[in-house]
Amino acid sequence: MISLSALAALHSEYADDLARPVEPVTVGGVTIGGREPVLMGTVNLSRDSTYRESIAVSTEAAVRKARTQVAQGAHLVDVGAESSTAAAARVDAGAQVERLRPVVEALAPECVVSVETYRPEVVEASLKAGAHILNLTGRDGEDDMLGHAASYGATVILCFCEPDDVRAEATAPTDADALPYLVDHFGPRIERAGALGVERVVIDPGLGFYYGNLVDPTVRVRHQAAVLAQCFRLRVLGVPVCNALPHAFDLFEDEFRKAEGFFAVLARLGGTDLFRTHEVAHVRAVLAAMDALDVEQPQPR
């Protein structure tokens, strides 16, 4: 179970990591890695997404959903044209660009837009359309994608994935402590991004993606919770951390839309800087409550 003693033990063992600063990333007036948590809304242009409420069936619907999320408190909006779920259809680069370009062009003058993709052609087209952030979910052609980002001065989110992309069959690092594995994974990629001219990098441990060893819902959510609670240990890399908040349907069942708020608490305690969510209004309220309240007893005057 999650307990105060378990959280205190983490704090005690890794106090140096918890105290480490990261270099904040500022894009479009939004600072990721500062004192305030940052919310990333989600709009899916693929009907294969398992989170039905996030699906936009047209350009107009996508723009409307994004504007609604910004009004609810999202600091930026992530738009994608292919679901990362295992059963989803692959969407070729041309079709992705066709779906994404008009949405990005409409939203970019109004808010900070992130595009999720693993295809270099989609990266280039999205940047031309005005995207501010690239949420990179693949490594095949990563140098090309990073080069495009550098040429446009874009911010990059590097998602955890082994060679190829997050749609390929993969295994999550669960046999032992996952955090050192993640540090070793991201370190060289961050250095490579800098060498190619990318000045602003955020990392994402990839908790929202499919893994062959995490098909059991209980095993999966325990792994997600453990990483969320300890993300401050990634601060040794010096960059902010993004996390997709889990849904945990098997735990929450009919109340699954409240799950992201629950995991937002764990993520905030664990040092997440950027919260990718489908439930912007709910998560915004939860994080605001955490900032407003104090569990320490007031000192006598």
Side-chain angles (χ1 to χ4, degrees), residues 8 20 64 69 74 76 86 100-101 105 113 126 135 140 147 155 190 196 202 230 236 252 254-255 276 284 287 297:
R20 290 180 188 272
R64 182 176 66 251
Q69 291 176 359
L76 54 102
L100 288 165
R101 182 187 288 123
E105 288 176 342
V113 179
S126 298
N135 188 6
D140 186 16
T155 298
I190 294 170
L196 291 172
V202 178
Q230 302 182 61
V236 67
F252 285 79
D254 292 346
E255 298 298 313
R276 188 178 188 274
R284 180 202 58 78
L287 293 176
Q297 292 292 337

Side-chain angles (χ1 to χ4, degrees), residues 42-48 52-67 77 79-81 95-104 106-107:
T42 308
V43 176
N44 290 307
L45 297 171
S46 165
R47 293 175 184 262
D48 289 330
R52 308 305 294 175
E53 292 81 359
S54 69
I55 295 174
V57 298
S58 65
T59 297
E60 293 74 20
V63 172
R64 182 176 66 251
K65 283 179 177 290
R67 287 172 174 164
V77 178
V79 185
Q96 288 195 39
V97 170
E98 185 178 353
R99 296 177 189 178
L100 288 165
R101 182 187 288 123
V103 177
V104 175
L107 292 174

Side-chain angles (χ1 to χ4, degrees), residues 188-295:
R189 294 178 68 194
I190 294 170
E191 290 184 8
R192 183 61 177 166
L196 291 172
V198 177
E199 297 180 353
R200 294 180 297 278
V201 174
V202 178
I203 57 173
D204 181 337
L207 299 181
F209 303 133
Y210 171 84
Y211 301 101
N213 61 332
L214 295 181
V215 293
D216 182 291
T218 301
V219 174
R220 177 178 175 85
V221 75
R222 284 176 175 166
H223 169 71
Q224 291 169 324
V227 175
L228 286 174
Q230 302 182 61
C231 269
F232 60 86
R233 293 172 61 195
L234 298 176
R235 288 181 177 173
V236 67
L237 295 166
V239 299
V241 176
C242 169
N243 271 304
L245 298 174
H247 313 147
F249 181 80
D250 285 66
L251 284 179
F252 285 79
E253 300 185 33
D254 292 346
E255 298 298 313
F256 80 96
R257 294 193 67 175
K258 298 183 178 67
E260 293 189 11
F262 169 82
F263 287 105
V265 174
L266 202 56
R268 179 69 164 145
L269 293 174
T272 295
D273 302 292
L274 177 60
F275 297 73
R276 188 178 188 274
T277 178
H278 301 83
E279 301 291 341
V280 172
H282 180 57
V283 171
R284 180 202 58 78
V286 168
L287 293 176
M290 290 186 71
D291 285 345
L293 301 176
D294 194 339
V295 296

